[in-house]
Amino acid sequence: MLPEFLIRAGLAGLGLTLATGPLGAFVLWRRMAYFGDATAHASILGVALALATGLPVGLGTLTVALSVAVTVATLSARGWAVDTTLGVLAHGALAVGLVAISFVKGVNVSLESYLFGDILAVTWTEVALVWGGSASVLALLLWRWQGMLTATLDPDLARASGIDPDRERLWLTLALAVVIAVAIKLVGALLIAALLLIPAATARALSRGPEQMAALASGVGALSVIAGLALSLNQDTPAGPSIAALAAGLFALAASLRRQG
């Protein structure tokens, strides 16, 4: 019989991969890998704001993630280099967040749980929040799938078909912000991007179409969660990094199989 904390961790991780699979595929197709990483880093400022104001941590991280997205979109429209803007926002917000948390009085919080995650400590309420957030993101992606896909593959064709690429990018940004908000407690700000990108990259090496890649990415993510938790239980390794490490191992295996094929 598995311990209850492990069951909660497994359910939370599997719920998260429902959204990170297809969302990670879009992140790769749009070459938004650095955006996802930068938004995750900046979410630490959201943790600090939430602790200082007494708001839920998920709401704080969601607010900061959306603010980063709007700021990047505004500055890039004015001619700013996107990679430079993301770098400044990511590291600046991370640094300010870490400093700000040290000034919050009466709050006993481990920064490691938000940097590297603490999936083994999730509660049933948090499991429900993860599944709810992932379900909403998955529903959004299914609703906007064709428009997002067309805008990603050929923006000119999208405009000719009456699809606004900027609007589809905004929907994708919103979905990314929601996933980061629900994932930060599980895998931490430093590992969220890994769970988004590595399973999608693995699926790209094995799939032959966008739908297949999105579904396979969720499957690879789910396998990484199960194997990572098993490794953590048996070898007493950190759960979040173990999940990311197993995902990286699956990517290496998929890349090797593709070269042999």
Side-chain angles (χ1 to χ4, degrees), residues 190-246:
L190 299 182
L191 297 175
I192 290 174
L195 197 56
L196 274 169
L197 300 176
I198 299 177
T202 305
R204 182 165 60 180
L206 301 174
S207 57
R208 299 186 178 182
E211 289 80 9
Q212 185 183 28
M213 176 176 165
L216 188 56
S218 288
V220 171
L223 181 58
S224 301
V225 167
I226 295 172
L229 289 176
L231 176 64
S232 177
L233 180 65
N234 292 323
Q235 302 298 324
D236 196 26
T237 56
S242 297
I243 292 172
L246 265 296

Side-chain angles (χ1 to χ4, degrees), residues 102-125:
S102 67
F103 285 100
V104 179
K105 304 300 182 182
V107 176
N108 184 19
V109 61
S110 171
L111 287 179
E112 288 190 2
S113 64
Y114 293 107
L115 289 172
F116 302 105
D118 195 8
I119 192 172
L120 297 178
V122 296
T123 64
W124 284 115
T125 300

